Amino acid sequence: MRIITGRYKGRHFDIPRSFKARPTTDFAKENIFNVLNAYIDFEDTTALDLFSGTGSITLELASRGCAHVISVEMDRDHHRFIQDCLKKLDDANVLPIRGDVFRFIKSCKQQFDFIFADPPYALKELPTIPGLIFEKGLLKPDGILVFEHGKDHDFSGDPHFVEHRSYGSVNFSIFRTTEKASE
């Protein structure tokens, strides 16, 4: 796994072979971040990475200058791996939380400029996640949600939906909080 750009550009982290998580491919990650540059300036942004897995997105957000990143991952080994990567970078702007994403969403009182969610594609609750995020008001006005999912899901009917991008088997739906969408 490598960091694409920013202050940690080019840093590599070897993911243990025993991990079940599938990190977002470098190709897909680079392309979605290129798209996101039109929507958001990551410098000084508050970000949330849900279902962090290997921490690939968390590390990318930290590298791009986010003021604060919260990373939520339930798996003990994955969480420890993220912590170890952050220690190597000596980045104090990231808070890795080991916990259940659904409990986090329900109890979180903070709002974010940017949220990235990459649940397991087979998760039965997957289609409900964007709605939960908007229902709980986790995004600031004009905040962006990027939701990674398999090809079997279509979120284009959601009032907050902006666009869909596909890179091989990786699909991203982009959502935005706007005054118009919340009416």
Side-chain angles (χ1 to χ4, degrees), residues 61-170:
L61 291 168
S63 183
R64 290 170 184 258
C66 287
H68 188 64
V69 180
I70 294 178
S71 168
V72 182
E73 172 56 44
M74 187 163 50
D75 184 275
R76 180 191 68 223
D77 295 333
H78 295 181
H79 178 259
R80 188 178 308 122
F81 178 76
I82 295 167
Q83 287 179 308
D84 291 344
C85 291
L86 291 169
K87 283 179 191 168
K88 290 176 185 172
L89 297 177
D90 194 27
D91 195 311
N93 294 331
V94 180
L95 174 63
I97 295 174
R98 181 173 171 235
D100 179 80
V101 165
F102 294 99
R103 285 186 184 149
F104 179 87
I105 290 172
K106 288 176 183 170
S107 65
C108 183
K109 303 295 184 221
Q110 185 176 349
Q111 286 190 313
F112 301 89
D113 300 299
F114 178 74
I115 298 174
F116 188 94
D118 179 13
Y121 289 2
L123 186 71
K124 67 178 176 144
E125 299 92 350
L126 184 144
T128 68
I129 295 168
L132 286 172
I133 289 169
F134 286 103
E135 179 185 311
K136 294 298 180 183
L138 296 185
L139 280 171
K140 293 179 182 177
D142 274 341
I144 299 291
L145 164 64
V146 172
F147 191 65
E148 185 174 334
H149 56 87
K151 63 179 170 54
D152 298 334
H153 296 282
D154 178 6
F155 295 95
S156 60
D158 187 287
H160 300 282
F161 178 83
V162 176
E163 69 175 289
H164 173 263
R165 295 291 176 123
S166 178
Y167 305 103
S169 63
V170 180

